[in-house]
Amino acid sequence: MAERGRRTVRDLRRGNRASLLRHLYFEGPLSRQELGRDTGLSAGSISNVVGELIADGMVEEAGAVESDGGRPRTLLQVSAGYGYVVGVDVGETRVRVELFDLALTERSSADLPLSDSGHDVDHVVRLALDGIASVVREAGVDDREVLGVGIGVPGIVEQGDPRLSPPGEGHGIVVHGQTIGWDAVPLGRLLRAGTELPLYIDNGAKTLGQAEMWFGGGRGSGNVVIALIGSGVGAAVVADGTPYRGASSSAGEWGHTTLRVGGRTCRCGSRGCLEAYVGAEALLARWPGAPEGVSEENALAALLAAADHDETAAALLTEAAEYLGAGLADLVNLFNPQRIVIGGWAGLLLGPKLLPAVRQYAAAYALHHPSAQTSIELGRLGADAVTVGAATLPLARFLDTGGERVVRLPAQADNARAGTAAGTAAGTAAGAGAGAESGTGPGSAAGPGSATGSGTGTGDTVRNRTARAVR
């Protein structure tokens, strides 16, 4: 038996596979020679591991390039069709579900409105499960090809003890969503009652952060804050390349930092929170000209248009820019990031008009030296980046383990067990109103009880969308 703390041959092999798989995924296509140079592994190790990955179907040849005086070098890349991942965004007025291949090319999607039930736990669970089943069916994918489902939710997500609940099982995951009335909701257990697929759940702002770090505005930097602005406000903090989660995974609730003592009442019940001044729901609540019967996204667009001729609308946006700049200055002073990336549907909608003023206010409120070293920019992945980020949760485990698949767990469909779990959750979250602590997902004007936008995807990879944004 191996001594405690010593790496076994199996550990070394798994580490080598993970190293090559991750590097190929993010930097490929690459030749075997380039893999050896970049990873430091010997030519023999490269040959053995690459041979295994090709034999397993995870890696494929992707053409060849000329070499200096020798034979052309074969390029390798991760096989996009080896498996699929599902991303779920539990937003403010809808649940959005997308199925991707390993290149994060969308293959199918579904939008399911929350309707009048709001964030009632049973309702959200049913929509999520229906959406997952729908996108798998529409894409024509076998369940066994799906590596896992990632879910971005509003609020604080406790992952539970990994010794008691293996990765992908989900039983120990509990969500605390104060702004939507979720108190210790056993979301992992409730979802497990309806699916055998591996489950990974995290805060929506953190899933957005991972997507922007992998493919968007945070790529290439080790110290970044990704700010999510939707109906609510949240953030993901990355320090030295590692997401900062805090003692109980609640780090990043930036929207509930106090900017004004005794100020406006926030959805969380406190007063003077940043969210109460810059969140879309709060902005529209203070605009007398807000249109009725339309989605928040359309109403916020109307506010931006009205600001060109409506003094009240213009003053409201000017105030929001200053508060947002002051909030970003707090992030600069606290975390000293290289970049601050503003995302979320409302952040991307407000950004083109407000960003110059926001940068000026941030510089005025922050300490000069760290402020001069921090860039403030808009996210590059669009309004659905939370869904993409959610899909990276099972993908990250796949890469980190060198391509290991999670053992499938039978859905816990026993009526007594499912009923007990649902009853427990419903008791803590009945009648929750619309909105999300982390501000995920744009509003939807679709009618209640219908799924819109489902069907095959466009074949548009995240990498392609990012490249167009950069250009």
Side-chain angles (χ1 to χ4, degrees), residues 154-421:
I156 298 164
V157 180
E158 286 189 291
Q159 297 295 334
D161 189 338
R163 295 170 298 179
L164 302 177
S165 181
E169 184 181 65
H171 282 302
I173 298 176
V174 174
V175 180
H176 308 267
Q178 189 167 323
T179 63
I180 60 171
W182 285 16
D183 181 14
V185 170
L187 187 61
R189 186 174 55 173
L190 295 175
L191 290 167
R192 173 56 61 215
T195 181
E196 296 182 0
L197 297 174
L199 296 170
Y200 305 86
I201 304 173
D202 208 343
N203 169 267
K206 291 181 172 65
T207 70
L208 169 71
Q210 182 151 291
E212 289 287 353
M213 290 300 294
W214 279 24
F215 307 111
R219 186 173 169 90
S221 296
N223 294 279
V224 183
V225 177
I226 298 91
L228 189 157
I229 304 175
S231 283
V233 177
V237 180
V238 179
D240 296 327
T242 303
Y244 178 69
R245 308 188 69 89
S248 59
S249 198
S250 68
E253 290 295 339
W254 172 57
H256 301 288
T257 55
T258 304
L259 279 195
R260 185 169 182 175
V261 174
R264 296 190 183 100
T265 301
C266 179
R267 296 186 305 169
C268 71
S270 187
R271 299 179 67 87
C273 295
L274 173 65
E275 182 176 299
Y277 293 88
V278 304
E281 183 177 304
L283 283 174
L284 294 172
R286 301 201 307 281
W287 181 36
E292 297 181 1
V294 302
S295 68
E296 273 191 351
E297 190 173 27
N298 290 336
L300 190 62
L303 172 61
L304 286 165
D308 293 333
H309 54 80
D310 182 333
E311 291 185 2
T312 301
L316 185 59
L317 291 178
T318 298
E319 180 195 63
E322 182 168 8
Y323 275 108
L324 180 55
L328 295 177
D330 287 343
L331 296 177
V332 170
N333 293 342
L334 284 169
F335 299 108
N336 186 208
Q338 296 162 288
R339 300 179 197 171
I340 295 177
V341 179
I342 299 175
W345 68 268
L348 296 177
L349 200 58
L350 294 168
K353 188 177 187 71
L354 299 189
L355 192 57
V358 168
R359 285 172 173 154
Q360 291 178 355
Y361 284 123
Y365 283 105
L367 294 172
H368 296 167
H369 181 66
S371 176
Q373 301 173 56
T374 303
S375 66
I376 300 174
E377 56 195 71
L378 296 181
R380 300 178 185 176
L381 301 182
D384 290 330
V386 173
T387 317
V388 176
T392 67
L393 299 179
L395 179 56
R397 187 185 188 280
F398 174 75
L399 297 175
D400 289 344
T401 60
E404 288 185 4
R405 286 179 177 266
V406 174
V407 176
R408 294 303 172 88
L409 296 166
Q412 302 296 324
D414 177 79
N415 291 334
R417 182 169 184 175
T420 300

Side-chain angles (χ1 to χ4, degrees), residues 34 52 72 88 108 111-112 116 147 164 184 186-187 203 301 304 314 329 364-365 376 392 422 435 450 455 459:
E34 289 170 321
E52 290 177 4
V88 180
S108 60
D111 281 316
L112 300 104
D116 294 336
L147 302 179
L164 302 177
L187 187 61
N203 169 267
L304 286 165
Y365 283 105
I376 300 174
T392 67
S450 65

Side-chain angles (χ1 to χ4, degrees), residues 130-165:
D130 287 349
I132 293 166
S134 173
V135 297
V136 172
R137 181 177 61 253
E138 292 288 343
V141 170
D142 190 295
D143 280 359
R144 291 169 295 183
E145 299 178 89
V146 179
L147 302 179
V149 177
I151 304 166
V153 298
I156 298 164
V157 180
E158 286 189 291
Q159 297 295 334
D161 189 338
R163 295 170 298 179
L164 302 177
S165 181

Side-chain angles (χ1 to χ4, degrees), residues 448-461:
S450 65
T452 63
S454 63
T456 56
T458 62
D460 189 14
T461 67

